[in-house]
Amino acid sequence: MNTAGHPEATTRRGLELTPFRGLRYDPDRVGSLAAVTSPPYDVVVRPDGLLHLESADPYNIVRLILPQAATPEARNDQAAHTLRRWMAEGVLTADPEPGLYVYEQRDGDGMLQRGIIGALRVSDPSEQVVLPHEDVMPHVVADRAALMRATWANLEPLLLTYRGDGPTAATTTVVERTAEQPPLLSTTTEDGFCHRLWSVTDPDDLSRVRSELARHQALIADGHHRWATYRTLRAEHPSPSPWDHGLVLLVDTARYPLRVRAIHRLLHDLPVSDAVAALDGHFRVRRLDTPRAESMDALAKAAEAGNAFLLAGDGAFHLVDRPDPGLLARTVPTDRPEAWRTLDATVLHATLLAHVWHIPDDSAAHISYIHHTAATVEKAERDGGTAVLMHPVREEVVRELAQQGVTMPRKSTSFGPKPASGLVLRTLDL
């Protein structure tokens, strides 16, 4: 199997996507399907977004993916109890037969994404079937693993991409033919995205999808920590077991390209004035008295010439670029490809955080990772910290590094649109 996803003679196992009995909300038991959905757990801006989702509907999925209690054990026990209670009450019901699920997202700007949800065989990195492109934080994997152990469920699909065989590929044909039928559900969330879901249970269709995907590999677009969690849990349970598979959404980006956005950083204990002062002699810093949108445009232009960042939190924006080459030579590891050494995320973590600002990047007490630009700036201004706004990495760079087995610094990219959590779940005892 080559790294572009095209078939060649090989004995290596590829993607193995298995039907499952999806667990879904009964629309007659909830206020609305939109009100019970949530962004993925790591996209929810806490505490504001969490409280908003909790108040949207008493059955919002956030009560399962981000349960609130005094201790981690209590949180996980609460999520498990809540899940079983909702199932017993019929709020969540299992579909009558196993299937794969075609999932569509559409917005008002012409964005259309379709993919297929199933239970994917969990594989080791050495198999090069599922390619990670980012490092993970062990404490986050441990947290997700504890939640999955307690609930005995995959509560939200992670997002994988692959490069299909063209418009007549078997999976594309099944996906698009299915999308012409009446959906199982259709709802529009407050972000303006319309979500639709269909089940695929026909044995011939399932066989066609299985045969084609077996010739491909996938890139993790979103969900590195959940994939690492799947691998952790699979290792804990002798095979065969339900933990041999994990819930994923597979999108053929040859047919439906994803958007790639940056993930920003919030440095909790570093005021902007101190951050800027520490940069003297190391980077060029320019204060921009322009609105956020124009300042982000300036960041994009500066990023064309090299590493660039935008600092915020004091009511203004500060464009940081032109790093001292000698500083980069002293601080950026040289044992990786040039494409990795020149990433903004690499320079941020290896140079700025580690050597200029002296901030550890492995603790939530010091740094938060936030997908939304406005939310990052607002929290920095409110808390007295520094928002570090990033420019996105091109998808081809991400794929190139992943194919070389090189992982990027954690939280380097945000692929989207991400699947909404709460539309279909997988319990391991069905």
Side-chain angles (χ1 to χ4, degrees):
M1 180 188 312
N2 69 15
T3 52
H6 297 296
E8 61 181 32
T10 179
T11 58
R12 183 178 295 162
R13 298 168 71 180
L15 298 168
E16 298 178 27
L17 197 64
T18 301
F20 69 104
R21 290 180 63 197
L23 191 66
R24 299 187 294 108
Y25 282 97
D26 181 344
D28 295 330
R29 297 297 306 274
V30 298
S32 73
L33 289 175
V36 296
T37 65
S38 165
Y41 79 97
D42 58 339
V43 180
V44 176
V45 179
R46 288 164 265 183
D48 301 352
L50 178 63
L51 295 173
H52 173 71
L53 291 164
E54 286 183 330
S55 63
D57 190 284
Y59 297 116
N60 189 283
I61 190 68
V62 78
R63 297 179 187 275
L64 301 182
I65 63 175
L66 289 174
Q68 300 301 295
T71 67
E73 294 78 9
R75 288 197 294 270
N76 296 330
D77 288 345
Q78 177 178 292
H81 175 75
T82 300
L83 175 60
R84 298 305 161 185
R85 178 167 55 84
W86 289 357
M87 292 174 66
E89 294 174 353
V91 174
L92 287 168
T93 60
D95 284 330
E97 59 181 319
L100 301 176
Y101 294 84
V102 170
Y103 176 48
E104 176 189 279
Q105 293 165 279
R106 187 190 299 264
D107 70 6
D109 298 326
M111 176 67 174
L112 172 64
Q113 177 174 290
R114 288 177 179 149
I116 194 157
I117 296 174
L120 185 69
R121 180 181 70 89
V122 179
S123 56
D124 292 323
S126 60
E127 297 182 59
Q128 292 190 311
V129 173
V130 174
L131 303 175
H133 70 266
E134 289 183 356
D135 293 329
V136 297
M137 293 174 276
H139 73 278
V140 178
V141 175
D143 174 74
R144 290 293 101 183
L147 178 63
M148 288 190 202
R149 287 190 202 99
T151 57
W152 201 257
N154 301 150
L155 299 172
E156 46 185 347
L158 53 88
L159 175 61
L160 304 182
T161 74
Y162 72 102
R163 305 290 290 180
D165 296 330
T168 60
T171 303
T172 295
T173 300
V174 170
V175 165
E176 301 200 352
R177 175 165 34 83
T178 301
E180 296 174 355
Q181 306 302 314
L184 290 174
L185 64 85
S186 178
T187 189
T188 300
T189 46
E190 62 182 10
D191 59 4
F193 271 91
C194 176
H195 307 261
R196 297 199 297 168
L197 191 77
W198 298 259
S199 64
V200 178
T201 57
D202 179 79
D204 290 339
D205 284 343
L206 296 176
S207 178
R208 292 185 189 101
V209 171
R210 181 172 59 249
S211 296
E212 185 200 355
L213 293 180
R215 302 193 301 271
H216 294 283
Q217 64 181 180
L219 175 73
I220 301 176
D222 185 67
H224 283 81
H225 289 90
R226 280 167 284 167
W227 183 254
T229 300
Y230 291 168
R231 293 185 55 239
T232 297
L233 294 171
R234 184 199 61 171
E236 294 175 358
H237 297 84
S239 184
S241 84
W243 300 101
D244 290 343
H245 295 78
L247 187 64
V248 306
L249 166 65
L250 273 169
V251 173
D252 177 3
T253 52
R255 179 69 179 86
Y256 296 105
L258 271 65
R259 294 169 174 166
V260 186
R261 293 192 169 109
I263 302 177
H264 309 300
R265 275 67 170 159
L266 174 61
L267 310 181
H268 297 292
D269 302 321
L270 182 68
V272 175
S273 58
D274 292 350
V276 169
L279 294 172
D280 186 42
H282 298 307
F283 287 76
R284 182 175 69 168
V285 183
R286 289 173 287 164
R287 178 187 175 101
L288 305 179
D289 292 311
T290 53
R292 185 180 73 248
E294 292 180 29
S295 298
M296 292 299 290
D297 288 342
L299 171 63
K301 184 175 181 180
E304 295 176 0
N307 300 118
F309 312 91
L310 199 63
L311 307 186
D314 62 351
F317 293 94
H318 306 266
L319 183 61
V320 177
D321 64 355
R322 294 188 183 178
D324 171 33
L327 175 65
L328 297 184
R330 293 192 303 273
T331 57
V332 175
T334 58
D335 60 345
R336 308 284 181 89
E338 182 181 1
W340 181 90
R341 298 197 304 271
T342 55
L343 289 170
D344 287 339
T346 297
V347 172
L348 172 62
H349 286 257
T351 304
L352 285 170
L353 292 177
H355 291 274
V356 176
W357 293 327
H358 305 290
I359 294 176
D361 68 352
D362 59 353
S363 172
H366 297 97
I367 184 170
S368 293
Y369 299 85
I370 304 177
H371 293 70
H372 302 288
T373 307
T376 313
V377 174
E378 290 166 4
K379 286 182 70 66
E381 292 179 344
R382 185 173 60 203
D383 301 340
T386 293
V388 183
L389 306 180
M390 310 282 288
H391 185 66
V393 183
R394 300 191 317 277
E395 181 178 359
E396 55 267 30
V397 173
V398 176
R399 193 174 294 275
E400 172 193 341
L401 288 172
Q403 290 167 350
Q404 296 178 56
V406 177
T407 55
M408 300 165 66
R410 61 180 64 98
K411 300 295 183 181
S412 292
T413 59
S414 176
F415 283 88
K418 304 178 190 305
S421 299
L423 296 180
V424 62
L425 293 66
R426 174 182 178 248
T427 58
L428 278 71
D429 51 3
L430 284 177

